[in-house]
Amino acid sequence: MTFGRVNPQFQLEDQGIKGLGDVYYNLMEPALIEAALKNNEGKLGKGGAFLVTTGRFTGRSPKDKHVVKTADVADKIWWENNKAMSPEGFDALHADMLEHMKGKDYYVQDLVGGADPTHSINVRMVTELAWHNLFIRHLLRRPEREALDSFVSDFTVINCPSFSADPERHNCRSETVIAMNFEKKLILIGGTQYAGENKKSVFTLLNYLLPEKGIMPMHCSANHAIGNPVDTAIFFGLSGTGKTTLSADPSRTLIGDDEHGWSDRGTFNFEGGCYAKTIGLNPEAEPEIYATTEKFGTVIENMVYDEETFELDFDDASLTQNMRCAYPLDYISNSSESALGGHPKNVILLTCDAYGVLPPIARLTPAQAMYHFLSGFTSKTPGTERGVVEPEPTFSTCFGAPFMPRRPEAYGNLLREKIAKHGATCWLVNTGWTGGAFGTGSRMPIKATRGLLTAALEGSLNEVEFRKDENFGFDVPVSVPGVDDQLLDPRQTWEDKAAYDAQAAKLVTMFADNFEQYVPHIDDDVKAAAIG
């Protein structure tokens, strides 16, 4: 049977998905929570939040992500970074998954990716789990209810955690699979309950489609000055670098926390919600995000809680460091209703340096910005991906390599062109370690980071004295009101200065070695900006 609001001419049977049990279309939050509770998928927490665990997968599985190598994409995909799947393997996977789905109940959400209607895409999410439907209803954008009567998707995502892939038959790596077929406009996810795969599959899709339209897709958060969308800032960064925390500034309007586009009109959010890490979440430092953990419908993922009181433990990482909450954007009081901003006035590249070498903030030239954007240096934080148990230095180009189907230069050149055209000021911000590397030093004080960012966004940071960093050649402020001068010079925070010099030399070499792969594809000024 069919339940819920849907285009009568565009049901699952019209897409060749037949033989299912009950199909629930576009249920709203109360009904989805009711269904999830009936299915024993989780617990109802304080304030009506929904508490779930995701089993053995508490992070993304990037090694199990595949792109189907069809003729129309063969010359466009960055195959060194994206695992190929044969069309035959995908067809077998699709057929076997549909057979597995027969007789089972499924949940469908018809949603939109992109706040700018000129560049948005319609996405149908078909999920085995009711709470996955709730999750993606938060994370993508919801059309008006009346629009559902005529909704037709551009792409469809089918997520079936109980299905296990056959690597030999389906031309994949393991029983877990995320397979993207651009020709058939279909994404298949199996063998994992981790909800983040849903949203990142759509992000990867937009990262493929938008560059051909001259739009820069970005793994970034964004905000703008209150009442002034022209004063927009974007924050690039991998998970754990502070995108969500730093963009949720009560003195500015939040556009979004993770995925955006930069078009000829300006900035626009891809999503309709936020997916925030909750490890160590502090009600004083991050009151708005903290408050969402007790709001109706918020999905609380992989958090330990008291079985009697349902009090959440924000410090217990026994399930994973990658504990999260997912909630609609309007749960943040200063969020933008339109999710649109102007052309970025400031571009911030966030990095989490586990080596303790980089300063808390540095000003970049456009060429240096492209260099650091292509480098994408950070440290993977525990839990974000399977197998990461302590911060691990890494280079993830464009601050999001797992989500980039095209070669990095396609995104780097787009970013550089837009920075030059619109005159954005660029900054590198280190939210990682100071006073030593991970295990010896301490995490950069968030108060100092916020103070430096405020000065950068308000323009006062441009008025202070800068020094040239001897390792990387970018400009570093010497003194900023309200910030300890010593913090601005990482070498001075180390007791053993020789150890800092050795660590810095090691990091410089790592940057240079990593960047060799891009040298044949970039201009001379970016090559010159590589190392100061």
Side-chain angles (χ1 to χ4, degrees), residues 36-37 40 106 137 165-166 173 251 265 268 286 312 318 355 368 377 380 391 393 404 424 468 498 502 514:
L37 289 170
N40 294 314
Y106 273 81
R137 182 171 165 80
D166 180 336
R173 191 188 75 98
S251 66
R265 188 214 57 78
F268 64 98
E286 300 161 292
L312 300 172
S318 57
Y355 280 94
Q368 288 172 335
F377 171 71
K380 290 179 183 176
M404 302 298 165
K468 190 73 69 176
N514 172 74

Side-chain angles (χ1 to χ4, degrees), residues 61-62 64-67 85 176-180 187-190 192 197 201:
S61 301
D64 293 308
K65 192 171 183 178
H66 301 263
V67 174
M85 174 180 281
T176 300
V177 65
I178 302 98
M180 310 188 70
I187 299 171
L188 304 178
I189 303 172
T192 173
E197 301 289 10
S201 67

Side-chain angles (χ1 to χ4, degrees), residues 318-394:
S318 57
L319 291 177
T320 178
Q321 290 269 353
N322 194 36
M323 57 180 74
R324 290 180 179 267
C325 62
Y327 50 88
L329 194 63
D330 60 15
Y331 276 11
I332 301 297
S333 63
N334 63 322
S335 62
S336 167
E337 290 186 10
S338 68
L340 302 174
H343 295 290
K345 185 177 178 181
N346 286 277
V347 174
I348 295 103
L349 308 182
L350 297 170
T351 182
C352 174
D353 173 21
Y355 280 94
V357 169
L358 295 175
I361 196 166
R363 186 174 59 193
L364 307 175
T365 66
Q368 288 172 335
M370 184 172 176
Y371 172 76
H372 284 278
F373 178 72
L374 290 176
S375 296
F377 171 71
T378 191
S379 302
K380 290 179 183 176
T381 53
T384 304
E385 291 183 11
R386 292 161 52 199
V388 179
V389 295
E390 63 180 43
E392 179 183 301
T394 188

Side-chain angles (χ1 to χ4, degrees), residues 214-216 218 229-234 261-267 341-347 366 413-426:
I215 298 167
M216 175 64 187
M218 304 177 292
V230 172
D231 185 3
T232 292
I234 56 176
W262 186 352
S263 69
D264 289 340
R265 188 214 57 78
T267 310
H343 295 290
K345 185 177 178 181
N346 286 277
V347 174
N413 286 326
L414 265 174
L415 180 64
R416 185 183 181 190
E417 290 167 8
K418 292 187 179 297
I419 288 171
K421 182 176 180 179
H422 301 288
T425 303
C426 303

